[in-house]
Amino acid sequence: MAAAAACRQRTSITSTTFYLQIFENSIKSSSLADAKTIHQHFLKNNLNYSSIVLDKLTRVYISFHQLQLAHRVFDRIPYPERKDNVLLWNQLIRAYAWEGPFDHATNLYNEMIQSGVTPNKYTYPFALKACSSIQDIELGKLIHDRVKSEVLDNDVYICTALVDFYSKCGLLDDARQVFDKMSNRDIVAWNAMIAGSSLHGMYHKTIKLVQEMQEVGLSPNSSTIVAILPAIGEANELIQGKTVHGFCIRRIYDNSVVVGTGLLDMYAKCEHLNYTRKVFNTITVKNEVTWSAMMSACVTKDSPIEALNLFNQAMVKNTTNISPVTISTILRACANLTNINTGKCIHSYTIKLGFISNLSVSNTLISLYSKCGAIQDTLRFFKEMEFKDTVSFNSIISGCVQNGDAKIAFKMFHNMKSLGINPDIETMIGFFPACSHLAALQHGICGHSYAVTLGFTKSTKVCNAIIDMYTKCGKIDTARLVFDEMCTHDIVSWNAMIFGYGIHGLGFEAVGFFEKMLTLGFNPDGVTFICVLSACSHSRLVEKGKLLYTEMLQKYQITPKIEHCICMVDLLGRAGRLTEAHDFILEMKVNPDVRIWSALLGACRIHKDYNLGEEIGIKIQNLGHESSGNFVILSNMYSSAKRFDDAERTRVMQIEKGFKKTPGCSWIEIDGNVHMFIGGDQRLHLHPWWELIKKRLDELLVGMKELGYDGDYGFVLQDVEEEEKEGILLYHSEKLAVAFGDVSLKEGKSILVTKNLRVCVDCHSALKYMSVIMKREITVRDTIRFHHFKDGSCNCGDFW
């Protein structure tokens, strides 16, 4: 019996030694398959193997980064042996702390404490690293308390880990307290403190810490350099960056791919793409981060084609693993180029790589499809996303607004809040343009209140968006109140107000605001002059506009773009100075495009210069029409001159070239709901208020005729009888919207309507009469400006 037992014991020892030797050999030969084969043998034969074998197998899996398998084997170790094996606990916690999931490391630490296992001084740095990765401040502070109770708070490794933890969690004062109490501060401790300051963008504090470190006799190493470069880049301190670069070259730190990538990123943030390229080319062995950083620099500096070429090089050379960061970067390049075909190829590649569930990638795809105008693809992909965050909703809201789907943007905003995802500053910056697009004042007011409640109005960008919203919702005085209450203004704030005064026909106020801006030390940019020149155009301030244009060229050295030239042609043309406008086009240095000739064509129609108009029409045909608008102007101009054959020929040409007249569409907001009307829409009778709208329009027509209204049938392009033309004019979209407002709103309340085209001459005339009959103020915002109708007149003075 004793001999048999001894034999079994010798066999067990021999088997254990055999298995341990195989595991050791698998590590040496980097053969995970051998280790898995033995593990499968155990499981298949249901063998009870010793704790020593389980310990070794756990370590093998950790060494091969198979943490899930390692954890599973670890859990099979019997409790008494596992409890005493602090070294193995530490190894598994450390593996999770470095590789993730980081919460597995903190969970394992908590399990260790609850199981009665006593950590040693090596456990705490690993656990603290995991805490910093998931920002678990509560557990990190509990570990700090435990360290104090065990009198380990002077251990250099633990203290360095605490400094790193507090720094990465943004608790820099706590980090400094721990750091100052350390009796022995090595380079690693200093680097932890420096990296924390740099991470939170504290450039001056970071540089000061480096100086302090050198004063105590420690010289920066490569890790110090990697730590300070982000702060230098964020602060755009190019000279300091070059100084650090020179230091790296002298110490031969720039041979390191990590330092090289840091230098590359620093130059990119300092907006020096040439230096970025030079650093990139000197890095002999490039990793995934290097390639991504270079691509990102190209995208940021508006060189998306170069970014795509770099991506192709990386793919061809196969020198790096493609990461979600790389995919997001290259999708941004496709978005900037509005290259949807390449974007879709990258989308397919993303699915193949398994990155489609990555939020950063998904959000960039939303942005790509939105910028390419593929709104249906955007909405479809957004619906398919398994996880959504604030950025996801911000992207879809701004994408809908960019593509003219403001109503969907409103819906997305409300869906976001219903899902418990809180809007942030970027959400509101995307939301207010939706209100502006539809002149949805009630939505805008609610959004303004929300922004005030959450403190978002401290942001200049948010306030600028609010100013733009009130301006485009017809509330220029409220926009001014918001401007006056802002803590700080930037050039965008001033431009928004100047633009607002301009489109409301308040040219003198716009010019006065421009001059006030100058006295306060703000330098105008190109957009400022577009705003103020446009304001002069709307208010007949011809000489002032010409003077400002001269100042733009001579005093501010701003090179005119086509938009500035259009403003000048519009300014001169509206004032009837057609020859001067024509000479301006011929003399300007920018090549005239269809838009600038269109501005002069519109002026020719207003001032009935049909000969010049016909000449310009030929130029436009040679350049190629951009839209149906020029055909309509030409046709109407011929009709006014009673050249009906030419008008018909123009309409036929429009059809032959495939240009369809954009249907007139108007919006009106009633009790927070936006109602849309399309002129001549066959489905008008389906509107629940149709009978009331139709009845009110008929009543208004009778009243207008009594006041002297006579329809301008030149705006009816259909070949129909006079009586039918009258009906077609009556159902123009802005008249429908105004009639709906009249039957919906309380007596005397003003009406605000937004239109997607310019107000036609007939509607402009009719709305003046309607304002008298309704005894209301009627405001119509078209694509050019606001028209405020009151007591039978419009503030534009019939000058639009």
Side-chain angles (χ1 to χ4, degrees), residues 12 74 375 398 675:
S12 175
F74 176 78
I375 193 63
S398 61
H675 300 262

Side-chain angles (χ1 to χ4, degrees), residues 606-626:
I606 293 170
H607 297 287
K608 296 182 171 51
D609 189 336
Y610 303 127
N611 292 330
L612 181 58
E614 190 168 20
E615 180 186 331
I616 293 165
I618 294 169
K619 290 181 183 292
I620 290 173
Q621 287 177 27
N622 291 334
L623 286 171
H625 294 264
E626 284 192 336

Side-chain angles (χ1 to χ4, degrees), residues 51 77-85:
S51 298
I77 299 175
Y79 178 70
E81 289 87 347
R82 180 153 48 102
K83 179 182 177 182
D84 296 333
N85 198 341

